[in-house]
Coordinates of all heavy atoms in Angstrom, one line a residue:
S13 N 2.9 6.9 0.2 CA 1.9 5.9 0.0 C 1.8 5.4 -1.4 O 2.2 6.2 -2.3 CB 0.5 6.4 0.4 OG -0.5 5.5 0.1
L14 N 1.4 4.2 -1.6 CA 1.1 3.7 -2.9 C -0.4 4.0 -3.2 O -1.2 4.3 -2.4 CB 1.4 2.2 -3.0 CG 2.8 1.8 -2.6 CD1 3.0 0.3 -2.7 CD2 3.9 2.4 -3.6
M15 N -0.8 3.7 -4.5 CA -2.1 3.9 -4.9 C -2.4 2.8 -6.0 O -1.5 2.3 -6.6 CB -2.4 5.3 -5.5 CG -1.6 5.6 -6.7 SD -2.0 7.2 -7.5 CE -3.6 6.7 -8.2
I16 N -3.7 2.6 -6.2 CA -4.1 1.6 -7.2 C -4.9 2.4 -8.3 O -5.8 3.1 -8.0 CB -5.0 0.5 -6.6 CG1 -4.2 -0.3 -5.6 CG2 -5.6 -0.4 -7.7 CD1 -5.0 -1.3 -4.8
T17 N -4.4 2.1 -9.5 CA -5.0 2.9 -10.7 C -6.2 2.1 -11.2 O -6.5 0.9 -10.8 CB -4.0 3.1 -11.8 OG1 -3.9 1.8 -12.5 CG2 -2.7 3.6 -11.3
D18 N -7.0 2.8 -12.1 CA -8.2 2.1 -12.6 C -7.8 1.0 -13.6 O -8.7 0.5 -14.3 CB -9.2 3.1 -13.2 CG -8.6 4.0 -14.3 OD1 -7.5 3.7 -14.8 OD2 -9.2 5.0 -14.6
D19 N -6.6 0.6 -13.8 CA -6.2 -0.6 -14.5 C -6.5 -1.8 -13.7 O -6.4 -2.9 -14.2 CB -4.7 -0.6 -14.9 CG -4.5 0.4 -16.0 OD1 -5.4 0.7 -16.8 OD2 -3.3 0.9 -16.1
C20 N -6.8 -1.7 -12.4 CA -7.0 -2.8 -11.6 C -8.1 -3.7 -12.1 O -9.2 -3.3 -12.6 CB -7.5 -2.3 -10.2 SG -7.9 -3.6 -9.0
I21 N -7.8 -5.0 -12.1 CA -8.8 -6.0 -12.6 C -9.5 -6.8 -11.4 O -10.1 -7.9 -11.7 CB -8.1 -7.0 -13.5 CG1 -6.9 -7.7 -12.8 CG2 -7.6 -6.3 -14.8 CD1 -6.3 -8.8 -13.7
N22 N -9.3 -6.3 -10.2 CA -10.0 -6.9 -9.0 C -9.6 -8.4 -8.9 O -10.5 -9.2 -8.6 CB -11.5 -6.8 -9.2 CG -11.9 -5.3 -9.0 OD1 -11.2 -4.5 -8.4 ND2 -13.1 -5.0 -9.5
C23 N -8.4 -8.7 -9.0 CA -8.0 -10.1 -9.0 C -7.8 -10.6 -7.5 O -7.7 -11.8 -7.3 CB -6.6 -10.3 -9.7 SG -5.2 -9.6 -8.8
D24 N -7.8 -9.7 -6.6 CA -7.8 -10.0 -5.1 C -6.4 -10.4 -4.6 O -6.3 -10.7 -3.4 CB -8.8 -11.2 -4.8 CG -10.2 -10.9 -5.3 OD1 -10.6 -9.8 -5.3 OD2 -10.9 -12.0 -5.6
V25 N -5.4 -10.5 -5.4 CA -4.2 -11.1 -4.8 C -3.4 -10.2 -3.9 O -2.6 -10.6 -3.0 CB -3.2 -11.7 -5.9 CG1 -3.9 -12.7 -6.7 CG2 -2.6 -10.6 -6.8
C26 N -3.5 -8.8 -4.1 CA -2.7 -7.9 -3.3 C -3.3 -7.8 -1.9 O -2.5 -7.6 -0.9 CB -2.7 -6.5 -3.9 SG -4.3 -5.8 -4.2
E27 N -4.5 -7.8 -1.7 CA -5.2 -7.5 -0.4 C -4.6 -8.3 0.7 O -4.2 -7.8 1.8 CB -6.7 -7.6 -0.5 CG -7.5 -7.1 0.7 CD -7.7 -8.2 1.7 OE1 -7.8 -9.3 1.3 OE2 -7.9 -7.8 2.9
P28 N -4.5 -9.7 0.6 CA -3.9 -10.4 1.8 C -2.4 -10.2 1.9 O -1.9 -10.6 3.0 CB -4.2 -11.9 1.4 CG -4.5 -11.9 -0.1 CD -5.0 -10.5 -0.5
E29 N -1.7 -9.7 1.0 CA -0.2 -9.5 1.1 C 0.1 -8.3 1.9 O 1.3 -8.1 2.4 CB 0.4 -9.4 -0.3 CG 0.2 -10.6 -1.2 CD 0.8 -11.8 -0.6 OE1 1.9 -11.7 0.1 OE2 0.3 -12.9 -0.8
C30 N -0.8 -7.3 2.1 CA -0.5 -6.1 2.8 C -0.3 -6.3 4.3 O -1.3 -6.6 4.9 CB -1.5 -5.0 2.5 SG -1.2 -3.4 3.3
P31 N 0.9 -6.0 4.9 CA 1.1 -6.2 6.3 C 0.4 -5.1 7.1 O 0.3 -5.3 8.3 CB 2.6 -6.1 6.4 CG 3.0 -5.2 5.3 CD 2.1 -5.5 4.2
N32 N -0.1 -4.1 6.5 CA -0.8 -3.0 7.2 C -2.3 -3.0 7.0 O -2.9 -2.1 7.5 CB -0.2 -1.6 6.7 CG 1.3 -1.5 7.0 OD1 1.7 -1.7 8.2 ND2 2.1 -1.1 6.1
D33 N -2.8 -4.0 6.4 CA -4.2 -4.0 6.0 C -4.7 -2.7 5.4 O -5.8 -2.1 5.8 CB -5.1 -4.3 7.3 CG -4.8 -5.7 7.8 OD1 -4.6 -6.6 7.0 OD2 -4.8 -5.9 9.1
A34 N -3.9 -2.1 4.5 CA -4.2 -0.8 3.9 C -5.0 -1.0 2.7 O -5.6 0.0 2.2 CB -2.9 0.0 3.6
I35 N -5.1 -2.2 2.1 CA -5.8 -2.4 0.9 C -7.2 -3.0 1.1 O -7.4 -3.9 1.9 CB -5.0 -3.4 0.0 CG1 -3.6 -2.9 -0.3 CG2 -5.7 -3.7 -1.3 CD1 -2.7 -3.9 -1.0
Y36 N -8.2 -2.4 0.4 CA -9.6 -2.8 0.7 C -10.3 -2.7 -0.7 O -9.9 -1.9 -1.6 CB -10.2 -2.0 1.7 CG -10.3 -0.5 1.4 CD1 -11.4 0.1 0.8 CD2 -9.2 0.4 1.6 CE1 -11.5 1.4 0.5 CE2 -9.2 1.7 1.3 CZ -10.4 2.2 0.7 OH -10.5 3.6 0.4
M37 N -11.4 -3.4 -0.8 CA -12.3 -3.3 -2.0 C -13.0 -2.0 -1.9 O -13.8 -1.8 -1.0 CB -13.2 -4.5 -2.0 CG -14.0 -4.6 -3.3 SD -13.1 -4.8 -4.8 CE -14.1 -4.1 -6.0
G38 N -12.9 -1.1 -2.9 CA -13.6 0.1 -2.9 C -14.9 0.0 -3.7 O -15.4 -1.1 -3.9
A39 N -15.4 1.1 -4.2 CA -16.7 1.0 -4.9 C -16.6 0.2 -6.2 O -17.6 -0.5 -6.5 CB -17.2 2.5 -5.2
E40 N -15.5 0.3 -6.9 CA -15.4 -0.4 -8.1 C -14.1 -1.2 -8.2 O -14.1 -2.3 -8.9 CB -15.4 0.5 -9.3 CG -16.8 1.3 -9.5 CD -16.8 2.2 -10.7 OE1 -15.8 2.3 -11.4 OE2 -17.9 2.7 -10.9
I41 N -13.1 -0.7 -7.7 CA -11.8 -1.5 -7.7 C -11.2 -1.4 -6.3 O -11.7 -0.8 -5.4 CB -10.8 -0.8 -8.7 CG1 -10.6 0.7 -8.4 CG2 -11.3 -1.0 -10.1 CD1 -9.6 1.4 -9.2
Y42 N -10.1 -2.1 -6.2 CA -9.3 -2.1 -4.9 C -8.7 -0.7 -4.7 O -8.4 0.0 -5.6 CB -8.3 -3.2 -4.8 CG -8.9 -4.5 -4.4 CD1 -9.5 -5.4 -5.3 CD2 -8.9 -4.9 -3.1 CE1 -10.0 -6.6 -4.9 CE2 -9.4 -6.1 -2.7 CZ -10.0 -6.9 -3.6 OH -10.6 -8.1 -3.2
E43 N -8.6 -0.3 -3.4 CA -8.1 1.0 -3.1 C -7.1 0.8 -1.9 O -7.1 -0.2 -1.3 CB -9.2 1.9 -2.7 CG -10.2 2.2 -3.8 CD -11.3 3.2 -3.4 OE1 -11.2 3.9 -2.5 OE2 -12.4 3.1 -4.1
I44 N -6.2 1.8 -1.8 CA -5.3 1.8 -0.7 C -5.5 3.0 0.2 O -5.6 4.2 -0.2 CB -3.8 1.9 -1.3 CG1 -3.5 0.6 -2.0 CG2 -2.8 2.2 -0.1 CD1 -2.1 0.6 -2.7
N45 N -5.6 2.8 1.5 CA -5.7 3.8 2.5 C -4.3 4.4 2.7 O -3.5 3.8 3.3 CB -6.3 3.2 3.8 CG -6.5 4.3 4.9 OD1 -5.9 5.4 4.8 ND2 -7.2 3.9 5.9
P46 N -4.1 5.7 2.3 CA -2.8 6.2 2.4 C -2.3 6.4 3.8 O -1.1 6.6 4.1 CB -2.9 7.6 1.6 CG -4.3 7.9 1.6 CD -5.1 6.6 1.6
D47 N -3.2 6.5 4.7 CA -2.9 6.7 6.2 C -2.3 5.4 6.8 O -1.7 5.4 7.8 CB -4.0 7.2 7.0 CG -4.5 8.6 6.6 OD1 -3.6 9.4 6.2 OD2 -5.7 8.8 6.6
K48 N -2.6 4.2 6.1 CA -2.1 3.0 6.6 C -0.9 2.4 5.8 O -0.2 1.5 6.2 CB -3.3 1.9 6.6 CG -4.2 2.1 7.7 CD -5.3 1.0 7.6 CE -6.0 0.7 8.9 NZ -6.8 -0.6 8.7
C49 N -0.7 2.9 4.5 CA 0.3 2.3 3.7 C 1.7 2.9 4.0 O 1.9 4.2 4.0 CB 0.0 2.7 2.2 SG 1.3 2.3 1.1
T50 N 2.6 2.0 4.4 CA 4.0 2.5 4.7 C 4.9 2.1 3.5 O 6.1 2.1 3.7 CB 4.5 1.8 6.0 OG1 4.6 0.4 5.8 CG2 3.6 2.1 7.2
E51 N 4.3 1.7 2.4 CA 5.1 1.2 1.3 C 5.9 0.0 1.7 O 7.0 -0.3 1.2 CB 6.0 2.3 0.6 CG 5.1 3.5 0.1 CD 5.9 4.6 -0.4 OE1 7.1 4.5 -0.6 OE2 5.3 5.7 -0.6
C52 N 5.4 -0.7 2.8 CA 6.0 -1.9 3.4 C 7.3 -1.5 4.2 O 7.9 -2.4 4.7 CB 6.3 -3.0 2.4 SG 4.7 -3.9 2.0
V53 N 7.6 -0.2 4.4 CA 8.7 0.1 5.3 C 8.4 -0.4 6.7 O 7.2 -0.2 7.2 CB 8.9 1.6 5.3 CG1 9.8 2.1 6.4 CG2 9.4 2.1 4.0
G54 N 9.3 -1.0 7.4 CA 9.1 -1.6 8.7 C 8.8 -3.1 8.6 O 8.9 -3.8 9.6
H55 N 8.4 -3.6 7.4 CA 8.0 -5.0 7.2 C 8.8 -5.7 6.2 O 9.3 -6.8 6.5 CB 6.5 -5.1 6.8 CG 5.5 -4.6 7.8 ND1 5.1 -5.3 8.9 CD2 4.8 -3.4 7.9 CE1 4.2 -4.7 9.6 NE2 4.0 -3.5 9.0
F56 N 9.0 -5.1 5.0 CA 9.7 -5.8 3.9 C 10.5 -4.8 3.2 O 10.3 -3.5 3.3 CB 8.7 -6.4 2.9 CG 7.8 -7.4 3.5 CD1 6.4 -7.1 3.9 CD2 8.2 -8.7 3.8 CE1 5.6 -8.0 4.5 CE2 7.4 -9.7 4.4 CZ 6.1 -9.3 4.7
D57 N 11.5 -5.3 2.4 CA 12.4 -4.4 1.6 C 11.6 -3.8 0.4 O 12.0 -2.7 0.0 CB 13.6 -5.2 1.1 CG 14.5 -5.6 2.2 OD1 14.5 -4.9 3.2 OD2 15.3 -6.5 2.0
E58 N 10.6 -4.5 -0.1 CA 9.9 -4.0 -1.3 C 8.4 -4.0 -1.0 O 7.9 -4.9 -0.3 CB 10.1 -4.9 -2.5 CG 11.6 -5.0 -2.9 CD 12.1 -3.7 -3.6 OE1 11.2 -2.9 -4.1 OE2 13.3 -3.5 -3.6
P59 N 7.6 -3.1 -1.6 CA 6.1 -3.2 -1.4 C 5.6 -4.5 -1.9 O 5.8 -4.9 -3.1 CB 5.6 -2.0 -2.2 CG 6.8 -1.0 -2.3 CD 8.0 -1.9 -2.3
Q60 N 5.0 -5.3 -1.0 CA 4.5 -6.6 -1.4 C 3.4 -6.6 -2.5 O 3.4 -7.5 -3.3 CB 4.0 -7.3 -0.1 CG 5.1 -7.5 0.9 CD 6.3 -8.3 0.4 OE1 6.2 -9.5 0.3 NE2 7.4 -7.6 0.1
C61 N 2.6 -5.6 -2.4 CA 1.5 -5.6 -3.4 C 2.0 -5.4 -4.8 O 1.5 -6.0 -5.8 CB 0.4 -4.6 -3.1 SG 1.1 -2.9 -3.0
Q62 N 3.0 -4.5 -4.9 CA 3.7 -4.3 -6.3 C 4.2 -5.6 -6.8 O 4.3 -5.9 -8.0 CB 4.7 -3.3 -6.2 CG 4.3 -1.8 -6.0 CD 5.4 -0.8 -6.0 OE1 6.5 -1.2 -5.7 NE2 5.0 0.4 -6.4
Q63 N 4.8 -6.5 -5.9 CA 5.4 -7.7 -6.4 C 4.4 -8.7 -6.9 O 4.7 -9.4 -7.9 CB 6.1 -8.4 -5.2 CG 7.1 -7.5 -4.4 CD 8.3 -7.2 -5.2 OE1 9.0 -8.1 -5.7 NE2 8.6 -5.9 -5.3
V64 N 3.2 -8.7 -6.4 CA 2.2 -9.7 -6.8 C 1.2 -9.2 -7.9 O 0.5 -10.0 -8.6 CB 1.4 -10.3 -5.6 CG1 2.4 -10.9 -4.7 CG2 0.6 -9.2 -4.9
C65 N 1.0 -7.9 -8.1 CA 0.0 -7.4 -9.0 C 0.3 -7.8 -10.4 O 1.4 -7.4 -11.0 CB 0.0 -5.8 -8.9 SG -1.3 -5.1 -10.0
P66 N -0.6 -8.5 -11.1 CA -0.3 -9.1 -12.4 C -0.4 -8.0 -13.5 O 0.1 -8.2 -14.6 CB -1.4 -10.1 -12.6 CG -2.6 -9.6 -11.7 CD -1.9 -9.0 -10.5
V67 N -1.0 -6.8 -13.2 CA -1.0 -5.8 -14.2 C -0.3 -4.5 -13.9 O -0.4 -3.5 -14.5 CB -2.5 -5.4 -14.6 CG1 -3.2 -6.6 -15.2 CG2 -3.3 -5.0 -13.3
S68 N 0.5 -4.6 -12.8 CA 1.4 -3.5 -12.4 C 0.7 -2.1 -12.3 O 1.1 -1.1 -12.9 CB 2.6 -3.3 -13.5 OG 3.4 -4.5 -13.5
C69 N -0.4 -2.2 -11.6 CA -1.2 -1.0 -11.5 C -1.1 -0.3 -10.1 O -2.1 0.3 -9.6 CB -2.7 -1.2 -11.8 SG -3.5 -2.3 -10.7
I70 N 0.0 -0.5 -9.4 CA 0.2 0.1 -8.0 C 1.4 1.0 -8.0 O 2.4 0.6 -7.5 CB 0.3 -1.1 -7.0 CG1 -0.8 -2.1 -7.2 CG2 0.1 -0.4 -5.6 CD1 -0.8 -3.2 -6.2
P71 N 1.3 2.2 -8.5 CA 2.4 3.2 -8.5 C 2.4 3.9 -7.1 O 1.6 3.8 -6.3 CB 2.0 4.1 -9.6 CG 0.6 4.1 -9.6 CD 0.1 2.8 -9.2
F72 N 3.5 4.8 -7.0 CA 3.5 5.7 -5.9 C 2.4 6.7 -6.1 O 2.1 7.2 -7.2 CB 4.9 6.4 -5.8 CG 6.0 5.4 -5.4 CD1 6.8 4.9 -6.4 CD2 6.1 5.0 -4.1 CE1 7.8 4.0 -6.0 CE2 7.1 4.1 -3.8 CZ 8.0 3.6 -4.7
N73 N 1.8 7.1 -5.0 CA 0.7 8.1 -5.0 C 1.4 9.5 -5.1 O 2.0 9.9 -4.1 CB -0.1 8.0 -3.7 CG -1.3 8.9 -3.8 OD1 -1.4 9.9 -4.4 ND2 -2.3 8.5 -3.0
P74 N 1.2 10.2 -6.2 CA 1.9 11.5 -6.4 C 1.5 12.5 -5.3 O 2.2 13.5 -5.1 CB 1.6 11.9 -7.8 CG 0.4 11.1 -8.2 CD 0.4 9.9 -7.4
E75 N 0.3 12.3 -4.8 CA -0.2 13.3 -3.8 C 0.3 12.9 -2.4 O 0.0 13.7 -1.4 CB -1.7 13.4 -3.8 CG -2.2 14.0 -5.1 CD -3.7 13.9 -5.3 OE1 -4.4 13.6 -4.3 OE2 -4.1 14.2 -6.4
R76 N 0.9 11.8 -2.2 CA 1.4 11.4 -0.9 C 2.8 10.8 -1.0 O 3.1 9.7 -0.6 CB 0.5 10.3 -0.3 CG -0.9 10.9 0.2 CD -0.8 11.7 1.4 NE -0.4 11.0 2.6 CZ -1.3 10.5 3.5 NH1 -2.5 10.7 3.3 NH2 -0.8 9.9 4.5
R77 N 3.7 11.6 -1.5 CA 5.1 11.2 -1.5 C 5.7 11.4 -0.1 O 5.5 12.4 0.5 CB 5.9 12.0 -2.5 CG 5.6 11.7 -4.0 CD 5.5 10.2 -4.4 NE 6.6 9.4 -4.0 CZ 7.5 8.9 -4.8 NH1 7.5 9.3 -6.1 NH2 8.5 8.2 -4.4
E78 N 6.4 10.4 0.4 CA 6.9 10.4 1.8 C 8.3 9.9 1.8 O 8.6 9.0 1.0 CB 6.0 9.6 2.7 CG 4.5 10.1 2.8 CD 3.6 9.0 3.2 OE1 3.3 8.1 2.3 OE2 3.1 9.0 4.3
T79 N 9.1 10.4 2.7 CA 10.5 9.9 2.9 C 10.4 8.5 3.6 O 9.4 8.2 4.3 CB 11.4 10.8 3.6 OG1 10.8 10.9 5.0 CG2 11.4 12.2 3.0
K80 N 11.5 7.8 3.5 CA 11.7 6.6 4.3 C 11.4 6.8 5.8 O 10.8 6.0 6.5 CB 13.0 6.0 4.1 CG 13.2 5.2 2.8 CD 13.0 3.8 2.9 CE 13.2 3.0 1.6 NZ 12.2 3.2 0.5
E81 N 11.9 8.0 6.3 CA 11.8 8.4 7.7 C 10.3 8.6 8.0 O 9.8 8.1 9.1 CB 12.6 9.6 8.0 CG 14.1 9.4 8.0 CD 14.7 9.2 6.6 OE1 14.1 9.6 5.6 OE2 15.8 8.5 6.5
Q82 N 9.6 9.3 7.1 CA 8.2 9.5 7.4 C 7.4 8.2 7.4 O 6.5 8.0 8.2 CB 7.6 10.5 6.3 CG 8.1 11.9 6.5 CD 7.6 12.8 5.3 OE1 7.8 12.4 4.2 NE2 7.1 13.9 5.6
L83 N 7.8 7.3 6.4 CA 7.1 6.0 6.3 C 7.4 5.2 7.6 O 6.5 4.5 8.1 CB 7.5 5.3 5.1 CG 7.0 5.9 3.8 CD1 7.8 5.4 2.6 CD2 5.5 5.7 3.6
F84 N 8.6 5.3 8.1 CA 8.9 4.5 9.3 C 8.2 5.0 10.5 O 7.8 4.3 11.4 CB 10.4 4.4 9.5 CG 10.8 3.4 10.5 CD1 10.8 2.0 10.2 CD2 11.2 3.8 11.8 CE1 11.1 1.1 11.2 CE2 11.5 2.8 12.8 CZ 11.5 1.5 12.5
A85 N 8.1 6.3 10.6 CA 7.3 6.9 11.7 C 5.9 6.5 11.6 O 5.2 6.2 12.6 CB 7.4 8.5 11.6
K86 N 5.3 6.4 10.4 CA 3.9 5.9 10.3 C 3.8 4.4 10.7 O 2.9 4.1 11.4 CB 3.5 6.0 8.8 CG 2.0 5.9 8.6 CD 1.6 5.7 7.1 CE 2.0 6.9 6.3 NZ 1.5 6.7 4.9
F87 N 4.8 3.6 10.3 CA 4.9 2.2 10.8 C 4.8 2.1 12.3 O 4.1 1.4 12.9 CB 6.2 1.6 10.2 CG 6.5 0.3 10.9 CD1 5.9 -0.9 10.6 CD2 7.6 0.3 11.8 CE1 6.3 -2.1 11.3 CE2 8.0 -0.9 12.5 CZ 7.3 -2.0 12.2
E88 N 5.7 3.0 12.9 CA 5.7 2.9 14.4 C 4.4 3.4 15.1 O 3.9 2.8 16.0 CB 6.8 3.8 14.9 CG 8.2 3.2 14.6 CD 9.3 4.0 15.3 OE1 9.4 5.2 15.2 OE2 10.2 3.3 15.9
L89 N 3.7 4.4 14.5 CA 2.4 4.8 15.0 C 1.4 3.7 14.8 O 0.6 3.4 15.7 CB 1.9 6.0 14.2 CG 2.3 7.4 14.7 CD1 1.7 8.4 13.7 CD2 1.6 7.6 16.1
L90 N 1.4 3.0 13.7 CA 0.5 1.9 13.4 C 0.7 0.8 14.4 O -0.2 0.2 14.9 CB 0.6 1.4 12.0 CG 0.1 2.4 10.9 CD1 0.5 1.9 9.5 CD2 -1.5 2.5 11.0
Q91 N 2.0 0.5 14.6 CA 2.3 -0.6 15.6 C 1.8 -0.3 17.0 O 1.3 -1.1 17.7 CB 3.8 -0.9 15.6 CG 4.4 -1.4 14.4 CD 3.7 -2.8 13.9 OE1 3.1 -2.8 12.9 NE2 3.9 -3.8 14.7
A92 N 2.0 1.0 17.4 CA 1.6 1.4 18.7 C 0.1 1.4 18.9 O -0.4 1.2 20.0 CB 2.1 2.8 19.0
A93 N -0.6 1.5 17.8 CA -2.1 1.5 17.9 C -2.7 0.1 17.9 O -3.9 0.0 18.1 CB -2.7 2.3 16.7
K94 N -1.8 -0.9 17.7 CA -2.4 -2.3 17.7 C -2.7 -2.8 19.0 O -2.1 -2.4 20.0 CB -1.3 -3.2 17.0 CG -1.4 -3.1 15.5 CD -0.6 -4.2 14.9 CE -0.8 -4.2 13.4 NZ 0.2 -5.0 12.6
Ligands
SF4_159 FE1 -6.0 -4.9 -8.6 FE2 -3.4 -5.4 -8.9 FE3 -4.6 -5.8 -6.5 FE4 -5.1 -7.4 -8.5 S1 -3.2 -7.1 -7.5 S2 -6.6 -6.5 -7.1 S3 -5.1 -6.0 -10.3 S4 -4.3 -3.8 -7.6

């Protein structure tokens, strides 16, 4: 999963780009639900939020490092739940 750091300026541009609806406005800044973030695996070659964030505050979540296979399995689970 990716995560949003407290460098976030609440510019709103990442939220609509997420194909998994994993990004939401939290208490103070935008946040990413790690159970929904596939790092865009299954949808795009690169994480779309990282491409648009003007302050580059969306790194990999060190507590939720996942392989491409694990991310693709999450993608399939999310698709099945739709
Ligand atoms: Fe925050 Fe970056 Fe998303 Fe803008 S694009 S809301 S700065 S995480």
Side-chain angles (χ1 to χ4, degrees):
S13 174
L14 303 175
M15 62 175 285
I16 295 175
T17 74
D18 58 12
D19 288 333
C20 175
I21 57 172
N22 292 338
C23 73
D24 308 326
V25 302
C26 58
E27 190 267 335
E29 298 299 326
C30 179
N32 296 310
D33 293 326
I35 302 176
Y36 61 96
M37 185 66 205
E40 293 182 357
I41 55 173
Y42 276 85
E43 297 180 22
I44 292 177
N45 179 345
D47 294 328
K48 285 184 156 187
C49 174
T50 66
E51 301 174 13
C52 283
V53 167
H55 295 282
F56 300 102
D57 290 340
E58 300 287 339
Q60 299 298 288
C61 58
Q62 286 182 337
Q63 307 291 308
V64 298
C65 180
V67 294
S68 300
C69 69
I70 315 182
F72 293 101
N73 186 336
E75 289 171 14
R76 285 292 291 267
R77 292 313 308 259
E78 296 154 290
T79 65
K80 284 265 185 285
E81 290 71 27
Q82 288 173 315
L83 291 165
F84 192 75
K86 194 194 297 185
F87 163 78
E88 291 190 310
L89 268 178
L90 289 168
Q91 293 302 114
K94 277 191 177 169

